[in-house]
Amino acid sequence: MANQFSRTQLLFGDEAMRRLAESRVAVFGIGGVGGYTAEALVRSGIGTLDIIDNDTVDITNINRQIFATHKTVGEYKVDCTERRLLEINPNLKINKHKKFFLPENSDEFDFTKYDYIVDAIDTVSGKIALAVNAQEANAPIISSMGASNKLDPTAFEVADIYDTCVCPLAKVMRRELKKHGVKKLKVVYSREEALKPLNDMQVQSEDNCIDSESRNSQYGKKRSIPGSNAFVPPTVGLIIAGEVIKDIALNRL
């Protein structure tokens, strides 16, 4: 009998669909990357999803974030995400965490319960903490590197963090991961050199931030506002979702 996952089942088979339905995936960060990842995971048959974010939808998110519309501006991202995902699969088990992941609150998450972890947050300290906790829990993880100020969606690759080049964020991550004893980390990164935004405004304080993502970036409060678009962050999110689904469905963990 046909169901909403029938076309996926034609590629992976019954046993793989069972593995997907029984898997629990955590998506840390529901923005331009994490939002597309979360939706693709649910459309692919993941049975349980944790979504972690404390941000609200801003008008400037609409150009690239799948859950951002004029109707959802001002809502918590995890709230509008939950609503849409349950419309896609009413049988989805969803665990909503209305908080930012930080090294200081990492003990609030039981990483041993996750079959896969998606790092789509934008703070270096948080990314390092996710990688460390995933390693300690022996949980598979994939991490998004920089997607801002890029125009070429074909320049993204899946690689181990220690095999990356060009990406400044990946360079910082390599250095910090070595210090923390993390010997491998699957990432999606771009070989494209970052562009400089045309309007090089500087964020001086929280009061005049263009959006909350600027306030929470690894670069701190005073930095250039990053440019983004409707096709680069979604590409990264879908690449990540594809890796998670294939790893689980094909039993590559």
Side-chain angles (χ1 to χ4, degrees):
M1 181 181 295
N3 61 66
Q4 70 183 81
F5 303 119
S6 293
R7 296 296 184 94
T8 309
Q9 188 172 346
L10 288 173
L11 294 174
F12 291 122
D14 294 344
E15 180 60 23
M17 297 310 297
R18 181 193 63 77
R19 282 195 293 269
L20 292 170
E22 294 177 354
S23 293
R24 179 177 178 181
V25 178
V27 180
F28 289 83
I30 308 297
V33 173
Y36 277 86
T37 298
E39 177 152 327
L41 293 176
V42 173
R43 289 188 184 275
S44 300
I46 290 295
T48 304
L49 193 72
D50 284 50
I51 53 175
I52 303 96
D53 204 312
N54 196 44
D55 206 358
T56 55
V57 178
D58 186 88
I59 191 72
T60 63
N61 298 152
I62 293 176
N63 79 321
R64 68 196 182 283
Q65 298 189 15
I66 194 166
F67 304 114
T69 67
H70 284 276
K71 186 176 180 179
T72 62
V73 167
E75 287 189 48
Y76 279 97
K77 291 180 180 178
V78 292
D79 288 341
C80 52
T81 299
E82 177 186 42
R83 183 171 63 248
R84 179 175 168 104
L85 295 182
L86 289 174
E87 289 175 353
I88 294 169
N89 181 10
N91 297 316
L92 173 70
K93 297 176 182 176
I94 190 163
N95 301 302
K96 187 171 56 173
H97 306 266
K98 199 172 288 183
K99 61 181 67 177
F100 291 121
F101 176 80
L102 302 167
E104 304 88 78
N105 65 14
S106 60
D107 59 353
E108 298 177 21
F109 299 88
D110 186 351
F111 289 86
T112 64
K113 293 186 179 298
Y114 300 139
D115 295 292
Y116 220 114
I117 297 164
V118 173
D119 161 27
I121 63 177
D122 65 353
T123 60
V124 170
S125 60
K127 287 179 173 294
I128 298 298
L130 282 176
V132 170
N133 278 277
Q135 178 173 272
E136 292 176 350
N138 197 30
I141 181 172
I142 184 168
S143 180
S144 170
M145 297 293 100
S148 297
N149 298 327
K150 306 288 175 64
L151 289 178
D152 185 2
T154 69
F156 285 91
E157 300 179 2
V158 178
D160 184 81
I161 187 68
Y162 294 108
D163 295 327
T164 58
C165 60
V166 180
C167 177
L169 175 56
K171 180 179 180 180
V172 174
M173 290 286 289
R174 290 195 301 269
R175 182 182 69 237
E176 295 302 316
L177 287 171
K178 285 180 181 178
K179 295 178 183 177
H180 288 81
V182 176
K183 296 182 178 180
K184 64 178 182 178
L185 177 66
K186 182 187 276 193
V187 302
V188 178
Y189 82 104
S190 176
R191 288 177 173 267
E192 179 186 8
E193 294 281 355
L195 302 173
K196 184 177 181 180
L198 297 178
N199 186 6
D200 193 21
M201 296 171 59
Q202 293 294 318
V203 178
Q204 300 296 334
S205 69
E206 292 186 4
D207 295 332
N208 66 358
C209 279
I210 286 183
D211 63 28
S212 54
E213 289 177 328
S214 303
R215 189 164 63 244
N216 299 311
S217 166
Q218 68 267 22
Y219 300 107
K221 295 178 183 177
K222 187 175 181 180
R223 70 174 182 97
S224 298
I225 302 295
S228 195
N229 50 62
F231 45 88
V232 168
T235 298
V236 179
L238 294 176
I239 291 173
I240 289 175
E243 289 298 305
V244 174
I245 294 301
K246 288 185 291 183
D247 284 349
I248 294 174
L250 302 178
N251 204 21
R252 303 192 307 196
L253 302 178

